Amino acid sequence: MTNINSFFSSKNTVNKLTEQETDQTYNYLEAVKALSRTTYNSIYVIDYEKKGFEYVSDNPLFLCGHTAEEVKDMGYEFYFKYVPEKDLELLLKINTIGFDFYEKIPLEERKAHTISYDFLLKNTEGKSILINQRLTPIFLNNEGKIWKALCIVSLSNKPNSGNITIYKNGSDKIFEYDLNGDYWKTQEKIKLSDREKEILHYSIRSYAIKDIAEKLFISPDTVKFHRKKLFEKLEVSNISEAITCATNNNLI
């Protein structure tokens, strides 16, 4: 029977912590709270020792009608209540393959990796939205197990659930999981040109095509040309999706 413990792999069991391990967390939540005030994304802190949420930011889009404190108290029951059964099975699959992958990473590199995936979330009206979660370790215990992890939640730019990807900070390689074949495959990280990055940066600041052209001393048609190439490269259809994709995949 599926239950909350299904989300917490035996390979990442965090038992009694030492004083040295707990000392590293002194006042760290203040930095997380400050970050949550500066982003449109939702931020969670997962505690793998207590098997629940230590912090949930106040972003109504992802709380399904609850307060942040209510979701914090619900913990992983929140997923059982608001994630469709098929995608709940997907999350359990991600939990298994993610920790299997993590076990093979050298201890000194474990905090450099981030896993990203998409799944459906139902709101109180029964409507579903596709969201992206990116999870990265904050603190490890002395055995290298993930003790606390930061989870960033945003709207997905993908058409369907899945899209399981692991990134290593500073590396051009990414690992994508093939759900049909049940294996990880290595891909080269998408690389954006300097011009494409400039256009994205101005677009994030809500500059229109004409304004971007003036800032970059190029014609509007040239901006349109670079945007078209950008959309093709990211496999998106508009600038909003391009911004989301580039942000979620750490391309800018």
Side-chain angles (χ1 to χ4, degrees), residues 214-230:
E214 291 177 356
K215 286 289 184 180
L216 298 180
F217 302 103
I218 56 179
S219 71
D221 283 342
T222 301
V223 175
K224 292 177 183 178
F225 170 80
H226 286 294
R227 281 182 25 140
K228 182 174 181 294
K229 292 295 182 183
L230 177 64

Side-chain angles (χ1 to χ4, degrees), residues 42-104:
S42 185
I43 297 178
Y44 293 65
V45 173
I46 302 171
D47 187 319
Y48 285 93
E49 181 203 14
K50 296 180 179 178
K51 298 184 178 180
F53 300 143
E54 183 171 14
Y55 173 77
V56 176
S57 65
D58 189 12
N59 187 331
L61 182 60
F62 306 113
L63 298 179
C64 298
H66 295 280
T67 66
E69 193 63 28
E70 287 172 340
V71 173
K72 177 177 175 290
D73 291 340
M74 290 172 70
Y76 275 72
E77 289 287 355
F78 176 81
Y79 293 115
F80 283 87
K81 188 172 184 179
Y82 293 107
V83 175
E85 185 175 351
K86 184 177 180 181
D87 278 22
L88 189 60
E89 293 174 359
L90 172 67
L91 291 182
L92 295 174
K93 173 77 172 181
I94 293 169
N95 179 72
T96 300
I97 63 174
F99 281 116
D100 285 346
F101 184 99
Y102 184 80
E103 280 288 305
K104 299 173 184 176

Side-chain angles (χ1 to χ4, degrees), residues 4 8-9 23 27 37 39-40 44-45 57 85 107 119 127-129 150 192 194 201 210 213 217:
I4 291 172
F8 296 91
S9 172
D23 281 348
N27 216 27
R37 293 193 296 268
T39 178
Y40 64 90
Y44 293 65
V45 173
S57 65
E85 185 175 351
L107 191 63
F119 63 95
K127 296 180 180 179
S128 296
I129 58 172
L150 186 72
L192 302 182
D194 290 341
H201 283 142
K210 178 177 177 294
F217 302 103

